[in-house]
Amino acid sequence: MYITTPLLQTQHLKSWDLTPRQFCDLEMLLSGAFAPLQGFMNAAEYHQVRNHQHLNSGKYWLTPVLLDVTPSFANSLSIGETIALRDAEGMLLAVFTVEGQFRAAPPDSDAIDAVCLEGQLQGIALPKHYHAAQEHQTPAQVQTYFREKGCQNVIAVLPQQAIHRLQWESACSYAQNLQAGILVQAAIGLAHPEDPAHFTRLRCYRQVLQRCSTPVQLNLLNHASRGEPLQEMLLRVLVLHNFGVTHLLVTPAQADTLTPHIATLGLKLLIEPAPPVEEIPLRAYRDVELSHHLHQGLSVPAEFSYPEVLSELQRSYPPRHRQGFVVFFTGLSGSGKSTLANALLMRLMEIGGRSVTLLDGDVVRKHLSSELNFSKEHRDINVRRIGFVASEIAKSGGIAICAPIAPYTQIRREVRQLVSDKGGFMEIHVATPLSECEKRDTKGLYAKARAGILKGFTGIDDPYEIPENPEVCLDTSHRSPAECVNQILQCLINMGYLPSTIACSA
Ligand SMILES: Nc1ncnc2c1ncn2[C@@H]1O[C@H](COP(=O)(O)OS(=O)(=O)O)[C@@H](OP(=O)(O)O)[C@H]1O
Ligand SMILES: Nc1ncnc2c1ncn2[C@@H]1O[C@H](COP(=O)(O)OP(=O)(O)O)[C@@H](O)[C@H]1O
């Protein structure tokens, strides 16, 4: 399926930048993982699969594999034209000669009649893997490995999260009885390249694999999961077959769902023993939840997982008082944001242990956002930038204190969402009334706004939308800054972001 078209000859071709799903599918097609499929489905194959669950060749198949494109790109093409298929960085991976177009429903899209291309696919290069390249083996490489090790059978283990001890021990014992090797295959297709959980899981798998004396391979599959769980599982089984797998280790519940289909799939099921009753709730935990369970000092039965796996989880998901977080002040000009942010900065520096960065509204406007004005559009850009920088700080385990006016709910919500994926988030509404802010008028701006010299001033002739659910709400009119900061510190302790041992009195 590969050709060696010199790059020069492809430079004049129109390019289609593959979507994340298509990027994964292309690797699955080119590597042989989706055999007998050799290219994206044409209309006839698509309808066969949709209506009769098999390919034109008669092979059982459930899931559409489509090259859907935008209508404008489709309109620009003519029959017989060759296009370049590229990854997100513009790397040429394949060329595709268009033979027709049809309407279909791609698996991960809302579109029910997207324009799809049919034609001939010719691979040029497999996608580059910047990490663990040796574990992205093709089906042929995996088959060769087990053949050379003299394995008559290959048992597949498909881990979702950390591999449980019971699961692994039953895989090893089945392997001994069947003279089998073990293939641990993890689908990582759409995992974000910076997803730390992905790397944690890999370290856990590698730890577990070392405990086995039978030939064993860890294989990272660039597969984009799709469809409902049964359909996805059946697709994974078809793929495993292409990797030379003869048996699949499943839970009793998975066995119940797969058994009616197994005759068509060509694999035998091996059933894990049911876990002891006390482990059932733990099994439902994702790694991060299990880790929090450990950090709270709750017991995990020794049978549940290996000590090195548990300590890896604890290391990767530190307790909250060692995670990064963002304190996001919002409020009118003169409400007290800068005063409180600076006082909090000092207290957190005093406590120590994490780096602390202050992103004050005025200061950010001098540096990061110097070209922006105070229109809604520019205020949103400004706050979004602050949120982005803060989220990066939290991701690296630091503390970011932000103190912009941030008058709009939608953008504050966006920042909360962005940060929450990476660390803690605390919104503080400095709810000092406008009358008090105006009385303070530390910079003389309210006077200018009232006099009409300064236009679009927040609270005077520009809106401030009251925060919906801030973690803390402070009216600074009748309280000292120290009192306010103590309340914030106490809230951080309650949320677990600071150890309860720190003193909260000024
Ligand atoms: N039109 C208008 N409206 C509000 N504020 C104004 C305006 N023009 C200048 N300033 C000064 O800019 C500071 C607010 O900047 P921010 O970056 O925090 O505002 S925003 O979040 O982008 O809305 C704000 O500082 P703080 O008083 O610290 O809030 C003001 O000093
Ligand atoms: N409890 C309090 N918290 C914060 N500021 C207070 C408090 N009580 C009085 N102030 C005064 O209010 C003013 C707030 O100004 P500032 O912190 O620059 O507000 P902002 O950053 O919201 O514009 C300062 O002069 C500060 O001394």
Side-chain angles (χ1 to χ4, degrees):
M1 211 200 295
Y2 283 88
I3 55 166
T4 50
T5 311
L7 286 184
L8 274 179
Q9 285 179 29
T10 64
Q11 278 170 354
H12 67 284
L13 301 179
K14 282 178 201 149
S15 284
W16 174 251
D17 293 340
L18 296 160
T19 65
R21 181 211 350 117
Q22 293 166 351
F23 172 75
C24 293
D25 285 356
L26 183 72
E27 177 161 358
M28 298 292 280
L29 291 166
L30 297 184
S31 71
F34 272 169
L37 265 192
Q38 298 223 325
F40 293 99
M41 287 178 176
N42 58 30
E45 268 168 333
Y46 171 71
H47 291 297
Q48 281 283 4
V49 163
R50 266 286 141 105
N51 302 330
H52 308 291
Q53 289 81 48
H54 59 80
L55 300 172
N56 287 342
S57 63
K59 167 100 178 172
Y60 183 66
W61 198 280
L62 285 169
T63 310
V65 178
L66 299 170
L67 184 59
D68 46 311
V69 297
T70 57
S72 58
F73 185 75
N75 282 337
S76 75
L77 301 174
S78 34
I79 302 296
E81 182 169 355
T82 298
I83 58 172
L85 301 184
R86 297 180 188 276
D87 69 11
E89 279 105 44
M91 173 92 178
L92 178 70
L93 298 177
V95 290
F96 184 86
T97 306
V98 182
E99 291 173 353
Q101 301 184 2
F102 63 104
R103 300 267 174 174
D108 59 352
S109 151
D110 292 338
I112 47 163
D113 65 345
V115 188
C116 300
L117 302 181
E118 59 180 23
Q120 293 304 315
L121 177 72
Q122 290 176 300
I124 290 184
L126 281 172
K128 249 200 230 145
H129 295 289
Y130 294 102
H131 167 252
Q134 74 287 359
E135 282 155 345
H136 283 88
Q137 316 89 322
T138 62
Q141 287 168 329
V142 168
Q143 293 206 29
T144 304
Y145 171 84
F146 286 117
R147 200 173 39 248
E148 285 177 359
K149 293 284 177 188
C151 300
Q152 297 182 1
N153 293 296
V154 178
I155 299 173
V157 174
L158 303 182
Q160 298 291 325
Q161 300 273 326
I163 300 174
H164 298 295
R165 187 173 181 149
L166 198 64
Q167 186 183 19
W168 191 243
E169 282 172 0
S170 73
C172 294
S173 119
Y174 279 125
Q176 273 196 336
N177 294 340
L178 292 165
Q179 291 183 298
I182 302 178
L183 178 69
V184 175
Q185 191 175 69
I188 53 146
L190 297 179
H192 191 275
E194 290 178 47
D195 177 12
H198 161 64
F199 291 91
T200 301
R201 282 196 292 274
L202 285 190
R203 287 194 296 272
C204 289
Y205 298 156
R206 290 187 186 125
Q207 295 279 14
V208 169
L209 261 55
Q210 283 174 18
R211 289 187 164 258
C212 194
S213 52
T214 32
V216 56
Q217 285 272 279
L218 173 60
N219 176 249
L220 304 181
L221 193 68
N222 196 20
H223 168 60
S225 305
R226 72 197 72 190
E228 39 96 16
L230 175 62
Q231 189 172 330
E232 171 59 21
M233 188 67 177
L234 292 172
L235 179 62
R236 291 293 302 277
V237 173
L238 288 165
V239 169
L240 288 173
H241 200 246
N242 288 329
F243 276 84
V245 167
T246 53
H247 296 74
L248 173 62
L249 186 71
V250 290
T251 61
Q254 286 171 324
D256 288 345
T257 10
L258 283 178
T259 303
H261 304 270
I262 207 67
T264 34
L265 298 172
L267 288 196
K268 294 194 179 101
L269 298 181
L270 301 173
I271 302 176
E272 270 178 54
V277 178
E278 68 275 14
E279 283 184 30
I280 292 174
L282 287 177
R283 285 224 159 198
Y285 281 6
R286 290 174 302 126
D287 292 344
V288 62
E289 290 161 335
L290 178 59
S291 176
H292 286 147
H293 183 91
L294 291 163
H295 283 302
Q296 283 162 24
L298 299 171
S299 75
V300 173
E303 295 75 25
F304 182 72
S305 197
Y306 299 103
E308 56 270 33
V309 170
L310 296 181
S311 70
E312 185 59 57
L313 291 177
Q314 272 190 304
R315 188 171 76 91
S316 300
Y317 302 103
R320 275 190 165 184
H321 67 265
R322 281 199 268 121
Q323 291 172 19
F325 66 87
V326 172
V327 178
F328 190 93
F329 290 95
T330 165
L332 296 172
S333 175
S335 57
K337 302 182 299 296
S338 299
T339 306
L340 295 179
N342 277 292
L344 179 66
L345 171 75
M346 292 302 134
R347 293 293 297 278
L348 290 172
M349 301 281 280
E350 221 170 70
I351 293 165
R354 281 178 282 205
S355 71
V356 195
T357 308
L358 174 58
L359 299 164
D360 187 67
D362 281 326
V363 181
V364 167
R365 281 208 171 252
K366 258 189 220 111
H367 301 285
L368 198 58
S369 293
S370 55
E371 85 285 17
L372 300 181
N373 58 36
F374 287 88
S375 64
K376 176 175 187 310
E377 191 196 353
H378 278 198
R379 285 180 197 259
D380 282 354
I381 296 173
N382 177 44
V383 175
R384 198 174 280 127
R385 281 181 193 169
I386 293 173
F388 173 76
V389 175
S391 72
E392 288 296 306
I393 291 170
K395 188 173 90 181
S396 315
I399 302 173
I401 305 173
C402 313
I405 293 179
Y408 296 108
T409 306
Q410 178 51 38
I411 206 79
R412 289 192 302 255
R413 219 182 271 151
E414 205 180 282
V415 170
R416 178 187 285 272
Q417 185 56 48
L418 182 70
V419 173
S420 301
D421 290 343
K422 298 170 182 172
F425 187 77
M426 175 191 273
E427 184 177 57
I428 300 179
H429 178 203
V430 189
T432 313
L434 176 64
S435 54
E436 173 67 18
C437 299
E438 206 169 346
K439 199 162 74 192
R440 289 175 181 170
D441 203 7
T442 43
K443 299 175 192 161
L445 296 175
Y446 281 99
K448 280 192 190 159
R450 288 288 183 201
I453 303 167
L454 183 57
K455 301 273 186 224
F457 194 74
T458 307
I460 305 298
D461 55 349
D462 220 48
Y464 180 80
E465 298 171 0
I466 306 290
E468 295 166 323
N469 280 312
E471 277 72 14
V472 179
C473 186
L474 292 167
D475 177 347
T476 67
S477 314
H478 306 292
R479 304 171 70 196
S480 72
E483 275 178 276
C484 297
V485 169
N486 279 339
Q487 186 180 336
I488 296 167
L489 291 174
Q490 190 56 54
C491 184
L492 286 168
I493 293 171
N494 296 346
M495 289 170 80
Y497 288 105
L498 292 177
S500 54
T501 44
I502 65 152
C504 274
S505 53

